[in-house]
Amino acid sequence: MGFHTIKNAARAAILLGLGLAAGLAQAQPADSLYNTPVGVTPTSHEVYGLHMMVFYWCVGIGVVVFGVMIIALFKFRRSKGAQAANFHDSTFLEIAWTIVPVIILVAMAIPAAKTLVRMADASDPDMSIKITGYQWKWQYDYLQDGFSFFSMLAKTSDEASQLDSGIDPKSVDNYLRDVDHPLVVPTGEKIRLLLTSDDVIHSWWMPDFGGKTDANPGFVNLTWIKVEEPGVYRGACAELCGRWHGFMPIVVVAKSPEDYAKWVGAMKAAGGKYVSPYDGSLEDNGSPVVFGATSYNDVMGTPAGAPVPAGTTVSTPVLDKAPARTPAAPPAPAWDMATAMDKGKQVYAANCASCHMPDGKGNPALGAKPIAGSPIANGPLALHLQTVMKGKGIMPAWQNMLSDADLAAVITFERNSFGNHKGDLVRPDDVKAAR
């Protein structure tokens, strides 16, 4: 087989590959079940375009290579009297199969590098949100507006996931893909996300936004989004962060700037309760909205009131001092056993029952010990307080996730339920003193 024959075959294969690629490009829908999502951010559009470009390159290369092989197998087979060509010591081929792959890689690397640079450019945002990962929930700090809340698995999914719940998960809308408190963002504005973690490595992954960013303890990673279309978008933690990793969904509700401003106003007027972005209803499930949230300086590890680090310009005012991490509202004046037990039952159901079970008998499969008859719940109050606040074993530290009132209520509930009868009434001031 001579060089002219190979050249002709290669030319035919290239034309065939380009024709097939063009056909695929026309047949490829904007979004499908068999491809990555197009997304709703400029970043996602760039990533999708890059993905499709590389895909078509690979299709073309595959067609050329396999086309030449197939043509050679049939046209130059031994039964037709073909004689094997000798390519040994061919300088032309040695140079060609070195230069051509390099050119292809460079052609792919240039647009990929440009996309990565644009993805990393989180400068000049319209607003900033700090995201903290916990086992297994997310905390969102609105640095502009000064409030913070937790987002955790929706109650409907949590109840259906319990052992012997009797609830068919297929009957639950968005099972394991819904949360109680979605992150709400405005459309058309550049939002800088500052990601960190309180315990292990998590990863905030929203496919429609075009990427994921790790949340590492002790570090702050920056990324940004600019959602173009209002809607509800769902993602999940993309890092194997523990045995409940699959129960850590992410939901983002994107609203028009006008509707977003109304939601922020409602949040500030709700007295610490979360305002649903769907229907404006108030929710209070034991994870209150905290005002006086983390400032930009707290996030970046700079002294309070210090200038913002160079190259990380923000349009938000920096708070003068580190704010309190508990709700500003004072505890209810009538703090008696009935009030604490009622509130503690709600907090326990929302935060503790998934591991320790609704009946307090624990879950050996998860390594969650029973509350009923527990030496902690029936032992010294100080040890119980420290265990819940600081965490132990696989149980996370709750001191930053629940208010003083919530902690006092749930500890009171645990010490006086499930057959435990210590009779202790824990007050919010007790928790405050133990912090």
Side-chain angles (χ1 to χ4, degrees), residues 74-362:
F74 283 92
K75 190 172 181 179
F76 305 104
R77 60 186 184 274
R78 178 180 294 181
S79 61
K80 295 185 68 174
Q83 296 295 321
N86 186 356
F87 297 122
H88 289 295
D89 301 323
S90 172
T91 304
F92 171 77
L93 285 181
E94 293 286 351
I95 295 176
W97 62 43
T98 301
I99 296 298
V100 171
V102 170
I103 293 174
I104 294 173
L105 290 176
V106 171
M108 292 180 177
I110 291 175
K114 290 181 178 178
T115 298
L116 287 174
V117 169
R118 281 191 285 268
M119 290 174 69
D121 182 12
S123 61
D124 299 325
D126 297 308
M127 60 180 290
S128 299
I129 297 176
K130 176 195 170 192
I131 301 176
T132 306
Y134 292 82
Q135 287 181 319
W136 290 268
K137 58 185 70 179
W138 299 98
Q139 183 182 20
Y140 299 116
D141 284 73
Y142 285 69
L143 303 185
Q144 248 92 356
D145 300 299
F147 62 79
S148 169
F149 58 82
F150 282 90
S151 177
M152 55 191 298
L153 185 66
K155 186 177 180 181
T156 50
S157 291
D158 187 28
E159 292 175 344
S161 68
Q162 300 296 320
L163 292 176
D164 303 323
S165 67
I167 302 174
D168 183 1
K170 295 180 180 178
S171 66
V172 178
D173 291 338
N174 296 306
Y175 177 65
L176 300 185
R177 301 197 67 210
D178 202 6
V179 299
D180 57 351
H181 298 160
L183 174 68
V184 184
V185 299
T187 58
E189 296 187 7
K190 184 175 181 178
I191 304 168
R192 172 164 43 200
L193 304 179
L194 304 95
L195 291 107
T196 187
S197 172
D198 187 67
D199 37 49
V200 299
I201 299 176
H202 302 276
S203 190
W204 202 82
W205 177 45
M206 183 60 67
D208 283 310
F209 294 172
K212 68 183 184 72
T213 303
D214 285 351
N216 302 319
F219 294 89
V220 177
N221 288 331
L222 298 179
T223 187
W224 64 278
I225 59 174
K226 187 176 183 180
V227 186
E228 298 170 333
E229 302 174 12
V232 180
Y233 304 100
R234 302 183 189 279
C237 176
E239 193 71 41
L240 187 57
C241 56
R243 61 179 65 182
W244 256 60
H245 155 75
F247 298 76
M248 196 172 173
I250 301 166
V251 178
V252 177
V253 176
K255 290 177 167 290
S256 67
E258 296 76 18
D259 290 340
Y260 173 77
K262 293 178 182 177
W263 177 80
V264 171
M267 286 284 285
K268 292 181 178 178
K273 294 185 178 181
Y274 181 83
V275 178
S276 169
Y278 305 117
D279 56 12
S281 61
L282 300 181
E283 300 177 12
D284 183 11
N285 71 342
S287 297
V289 176
V290 177
F291 287 89
T294 307
S295 74
Y296 187 84
N297 283 44
D298 293 331
V299 176
M300 301 306 294
T302 55
V308 174
T312 54
T313 305
V314 291
S315 58
T316 60
V318 177
L319 302 182
D320 292 331
K321 60 182 180 179
R325 298 293 299 156
T326 55
W335 188 261
D336 53 25
M337 182 62 79
T339 302
M341 288 293 287
D342 182 61
K343 187 175 183 63
K345 184 177 181 180
Q346 297 178 37
V347 176
Y348 181 88
N351 300 280
C352 312
S354 57
C355 290
H356 294 288
M357 307 303 291
D359 58 6
K361 294 184 179 179

